[in-house]
Structure formats: structure tokens, C-alpha cells
């Protein structure tokens, strides 16, 4: 107890040193009395299981909360790199981590799979500063944006996400539509049974997106018919559909395509249709208000500058220095620093080999099938009139 008390006093003293060095406070002057009111340190506690120290402090009235973010470098100078400073308006929390994130986290599906229990579409984000594996369900956190510069780990993360989905779900429960506009990432998935087709140009994408639009309408009609709100409530639910577009920024001039993508983001969740979008350089024209708001999960790898990281919604990702390191933002995690799994191209090929099948060379054949519950009216009419004629 005595050792812990002294340790807490040292933490308080160090935090107060940050406030003084960074001039985080409100100056006052009453006659001959002059001074500064600094933030009040309310509590210090240690989490021995997670190996963290947490300091709670509140700002004096009149101090701009933005000062904490502006001078976050001062917290790092005193407490090191493995910290988080979070809060808003008045109440803030400083978390100091004793553990360090690994500079590389090897992809391991068998180690991850116990965390998938109860999840429909598991996505492994990576490991946080507590050494905890962060996994979320795309069904509950619909539509994912992955952004970052070349070499930051973005492409490896897409590879990891798709490989995990393929191993976690059988092909009758998952259909993948992959769009590789750079023609550099998705070739290894081409013959995987889950993959309906691989597209490499906007011209190829248009009929596919129109098919998905019809499929969503048919699924919506089926929900109305059975008076349910989600496809999983149906007695025989159709498979989940995941549309993954690498370098979606190349579609900024394709108004019709982007309208269809936005429609998926708006209504796809209940219908079992989900987006995974990636881009190197964020573009405001592509990430307009509606689409951006519907992308509930953002993975911000290293960006060129603060402007780009703000477009993604992960300010601070421009400061990341380690490959595979990102800031994750979801409705449950507000800018959590994560080390993403590293899946090499060779290992990905080995993982995917058992899932590959021979496919016809007829491009677009896989998605030209009619949407679910669509009746062949021509055949039906012939049958009816044939009976009447008789």
C-alpha cells in the first residue's frame, strides 16, 4: 500500500510537471496576487492486469480543451510514447501503458478464431496497447473504410480481412465481389469459391452494381413479405454479400457508380450487403457526407498530413511511423491505436489454396443469376396461357 501511494504521488507530480511545462492553465491577476490555475488531478489508479496507470484530471473553467490536443507532445515527453490522452469539454483521462505494441503482428487465424464466437462477419483489426486482440462484427458495425499511404500496411490489412472472412464462413453463406482498380491486390482471390467475380474497371463494375441494386430490392421485398427487419430473421436467409473496392478514389468521376455504392451504404445492413472500401489518398469528393457517415468503421494507417487524416476521420494517423500501425475508429472505440496483423502474400496463397475451385472464363457469369425470389414471368405466362388454351 505504501509503495502504491508513493507511485501515485510520482504520477501526480509528473502530470503536474506537464501542465507547467506546457503552460496548460488559466492565468489570473488580483492586485498583487498573480498566478496560474492548472487542471485538477482528481484520481490516479493502477490496473495491474492490463499494466496501465490512469490519471483523471479536469480543466479549470475557461481553458480551451483543444489545448490538451495541441500540446499532447508534452505528455509524450514526460510519459513516453505509449500513452493515450482522451476527453472532451472538461474531464480528461491520461492512460500510460507499461507494455509496448509489437512492430509486427504475424497473422494467425487459429489464434483469432475463438474471438469470433457469436459474430456473423468477423473482422480482425489487430492488437491494442493492452495486448488485447480487437475483433468486431461487420454485421453490427457495417461498412469499413481502410486508408493509408503506400507501404503503410493498408493493402496487407485488406488481404488479412478478406482471408479471415473466407476462412470463417462457407461459400453458401458469403459472396464476395472484388474490385481491383489498381490491378495489383486481388489476383490471388480470383479462383476462391466465395468470390463471385473480380472487376478491374468502372465499365465492368456498372452491371455488377446494378445487379446488387436489384438483389437488394428483391431482399427488401422478401423482408416485407415475411414482416421481418433483417435477412437473418428469415427461415432460409440468403448469403451475406461483401463488396470490396480497392482504391475507390478512382471512381470520383463515376457519378452513377458512386450513387450505387452510396445506396448500398445506406440500406445494405438489413439486407446483408456490406462495403469494404480502401484508398491511398483520401478525397472529399468521394467521401461526401452521406457515404462517410455510413462508414461506421475507419482504419487510418499513416497519412500524408493532418488534412488527409481528418478526411478519413482519424486525426493523428499522420503521426504514425511504424508499418502496420493504425488508428481505429468505431462506435465502440474512439481513435484506438492498433497494430494490424501482417499476412504475407506467400502465406495468403497457402491459406487460400484449399478454397479455390475451377471457374468458367465467362466474366460476369457469376452474378447474372436472377435475384432471390424473382419469378420467371415469361415461363409462368406460357404455363398459364397453355392451360387456358387447353
Amino acid at each position: 500500500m505504501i509503495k502504491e501511494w508513493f507511485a501515485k504521488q510520482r504520477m501526480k507530480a509528473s502530470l503536474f510537471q506537464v501542465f507547467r511545462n506546457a503552460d496548460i492553465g488559466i492565468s489570473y491577476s488580483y492586485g498583487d496576487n498573480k498566478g496560474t490555475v492548472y487542471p485538477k488531478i482528481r484520481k490516479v489508479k493502477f490496473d495491474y492486469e492490463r499494466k496501465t496507470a490512469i490519471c483523471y484530471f479536469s480543466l479549470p473553467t475557461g481553458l480551451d480543451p483543444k489545448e490538451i490536443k495541441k500540446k499532447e507532445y508534452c505528455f509524450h515527453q514526460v510519459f513516453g510514447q505509449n500513452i493515450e490522452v482522451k476527453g472532451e469539454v472538461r474531464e480528461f483521462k491520461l492512460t500510460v501503458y507499461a507494455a509496448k505494441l509489437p512492430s509486427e503482428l504475424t497473422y494467425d487465424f487459429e489464434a483469432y478464431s475463438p474471438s469470433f464466437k457469436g459474430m456473423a462477419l468477423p473482422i480482425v483489426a489487430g492488437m491494442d496497447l493492452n495486448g488485447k486482440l480487437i475483433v468486431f462484427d461487420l454485421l453490427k458495425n457495417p461498412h469499413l473504410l481502410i486508408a493509408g499511404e503506400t507501404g503503410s500496411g493498408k493493402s496487407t490489412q485488406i488481404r488479412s480481412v478478406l482471408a479471415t472472412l473466407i476462412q470463417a464462413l462457407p461459400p453458401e453463406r458469403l459472396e464476395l465481389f472484388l474490385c481491383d482498380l489498381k490491378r495489383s491486390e486481388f489476383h490471388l482471390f480470383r479462383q476462391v469459391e466465395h468470390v463471385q467475380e473480380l472487376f478491374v474497371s468502372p465499365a465492368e463494375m456498372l452491371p455488377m452494381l446494378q445487379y446488387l441494386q436489384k438483389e437488394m430490392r428483391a431482399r427488401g421485398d422478401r423482408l416485407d413479405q415475411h414482416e421481418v427487419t433483417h435477412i437473418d430473421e428469415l427461415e432460409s436467409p440468403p448469403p451475406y454479400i461483401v463488396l470490396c473496392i480497392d482504391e475507390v478514389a478512382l471512381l470520383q468521376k463515376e457519378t452513377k457508380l458512386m450513387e450505387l455504392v452510396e445506396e448500398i451504404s445506406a440500406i445494405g445492413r438489413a439486407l446483408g450487403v456490406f462495403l469494404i472500401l480502401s484508398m491511398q489518398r483520401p478525397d472529399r469528393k468521394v467521401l461526401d457526407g452521406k457515404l462517410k457517415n455510413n462508414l461506421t468503421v475507419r482504419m487510418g494507417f499513416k497519412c500524408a498530413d493532418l488534412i488527409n487524416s481528418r478526411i478519413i476521420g482519424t486525426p493523428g494517423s499522420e503521426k504514425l511511423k511504424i508499418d502496420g500501425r493504425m488508428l481505429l475508429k468505431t462506435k465502440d472505440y474512439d481513435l484506438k491505436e492498433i497494430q494490424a496483423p501482417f499476412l504475407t502474400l506467400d502465406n495468403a496463397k497457402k491459406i487460400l489454396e484449399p478454397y479455390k475451385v475451377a471457374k468458367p472464363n465467362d466474366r460476369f457469369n457469376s452474378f447474372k443469376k436472377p435475384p432471390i425470389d424473382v419469378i420467371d414471368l415469361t415461363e409462368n405466362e406460357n404455363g398459364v396461357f397453355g392451360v387456358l388454351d387447353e
Side-chain angles (χ1 to χ4, degrees):
M1 291 294 293
I2 296 177
K3 287 184 178 180
E4 183 174 310
W5 183 85
F6 277 111
K8 288 183 177 180
Q9 298 310 305
R10 285 197 297 271
M11 286 289 297
K12 289 181 179 180
S14 296
L15 184 53
F16 190 70
Q17 179 187 345
V18 172
F19 297 150
R20 286 186 302 177
N21 293 348
D23 196 22
I24 299 175
I26 296 290
S27 297
Y28 67 88
S29 177
Y30 299 105
D32 294 333
N33 296 323
K34 297 181 180 180
T36 303
V37 179
Y38 293 106
K40 183 176 182 180
I41 303 172
R42 296 193 172 277
K43 183 171 63 173
V44 176
K45 72 174 186 178
F46 298 117
D47 188 331
Y48 294 102
E49 183 179 349
R50 297 185 176 181
K51 297 181 180 179
T52 59
I54 305 172
C55 300
Y56 298 89
F57 62 93
S58 56
L59 307 187
T61 301
L63 181 61
D64 188 348
K66 293 180 181 177
E67 288 297 308
I68 301 298
K69 197 64 182 176
K70 284 182 188 176
K71 298 177 179 178
E72 189 174 328
Y73 65 90
C74 295
F75 290 86
H76 286 288
Q77 288 173 348
V78 173
F79 292 101
Q81 291 299 315
N82 297 316
I83 66 169
E84 284 183 336
V85 184
K86 292 186 176 181
E88 56 184 22
V89 184
R90 185 166 187 150
E91 301 300 326
F92 281 80
K93 179 176 72 171
L94 165 69
T95 305
V96 182
Y97 298 91
K100 292 184 178 180
L101 273 174
S103 57
E104 184 176 300
L105 181 65
T106 303
Y107 179 87
D108 187 347
F109 179 82
E110 295 301 324
Y112 304 154
S113 55
S115 303
F116 301 164
K117 187 176 181 180
M119 293 189 180
L121 292 164
I123 304 290
V124 179
M127 182 179 290
D128 69 4
L129 283 164
N130 283 322
K132 179 183 177 183
L133 186 69
I134 303 300
V135 183
F136 66 90
D137 192 346
L138 192 62
L139 178 65
K140 297 179 180 179
N141 300 267
H143 315 310
L144 166 64
L145 172 65
I146 305 175
E149 292 184 324
T150 301
S152 64
K154 170 183 65 70
S155 298
T156 305
Q157 182 70 344
I158 299 172
R159 187 188 305 156
S160 167
V161 166
L162 293 177
T164 297
L165 290 173
I166 289 167
Q167 294 173 88
L169 285 86
E172 59 269 19
R173 290 295 299 133
L174 173 66
E175 293 183 353
L176 296 173
F177 292 80
L178 307 183
C179 304
D180 189 1
L181 299 177
K182 292 190 304 178
R183 300 195 178 201
S184 61
E185 300 298 335
F186 294 157
H187 54 86
L188 72 160
F189 296 99
R190 186 183 296 274
Q191 297 300 322
V192 172
E193 189 172 2
H194 302 67
V195 177
Q196 303 304 295
E197 192 55 81
L198 174 61
F199 309 92
V200 296
S201 71
E204 293 179 351
M205 289 178 61
L206 181 57
M208 176 270 294
L209 287 171
Q210 290 172 332
Y211 162 76
L212 291 182
Q213 184 182 49
K214 293 178 181 178
E215 175 73 13
M216 289 193 299
R217 289 174 181 171
R219 292 185 177 199
D221 291 342
R222 188 172 171 188
L223 295 184
D224 292 341
Q225 179 184 354
H226 293 274
E227 298 182 348
V228 295
T229 59
H230 195 280
I231 62 165
D232 286 346
E233 300 174 50
L234 296 170
E235 185 175 347
S236 299
Y240 299 118
I241 293 174
V242 175
L243 169 62
C244 183
I245 306 176
D246 187 32
E247 206 49 55
V248 68
L250 295 176
L251 298 179
Q252 61 176 310
K253 296 180 180 179
E254 306 292 339
T255 305
K256 179 60 177 177
L257 297 187
M258 290 309 300
E259 287 177 354
L260 293 171
V261 170
E262 186 178 297
E263 183 176 345
I264 293 173
S265 75
I267 66 173
R269 180 183 180 274
L271 306 173
V273 185
F274 303 91
L275 294 172
I276 298 176
L277 307 179
S278 78
M279 57 175 61
Q280 288 184 16
R281 293 188 62 84
D283 191 305
R284 291 187 187 276
K285 294 179 181 178
V286 175
L287 291 177
D288 66 358
K290 294 179 182 178
L291 177 59
K292 184 176 179 178
N293 291 337
N294 291 331
L295 298 169
T296 64
V297 183
R298 323 274 177 80
M299 295 182 178
F301 290 83
K302 180 173 175 56
C303 291
D305 51 44
L306 179 59
I307 294 175
N308 284 334
S309 64
R310 281 178 174 169
I311 294 174
I312 303 168
T314 58
S317 55
E318 77 282 357
K319 300 177 183 178
L320 298 173
K321 298 179 180 179
I322 299 174
D323 293 347
R325 192 67 55 87
M326 67 159 142
L327 293 183
L328 174 69
K329 183 177 182 180
T330 72
K331 62 183 181 182
D332 299 319
Y333 302 108
D334 184 19
L335 294 183
K336 195 177 189 67
E337 188 171 348
I338 300 288
Q339 182 67 33
F342 178 58
L343 177 60
T344 66
L345 185 61
D346 288 341
N347 283 340
K349 289 178 179 178
K350 293 177 183 177
I351 290 171
L352 296 174
E353 192 60 37
Y355 300 92
K356 292 187 176 182
V357 295
K359 291 187 177 182
N361 293 324
D362 181 17
R363 187 179 291 273
F364 314 131
N365 180 61
S366 58
F367 70 86
K368 280 188 173 178
K369 59 187 179 182
I372 59 170
D373 286 1
V374 174
I375 301 172
D376 188 339
L377 296 177
T378 304
E379 180 179 347
N380 191 52
E381 288 177 356
N382 290 338
V384 171
F385 288 113
V387 172
L388 293 176
D389 290 341
E390 291 178 359

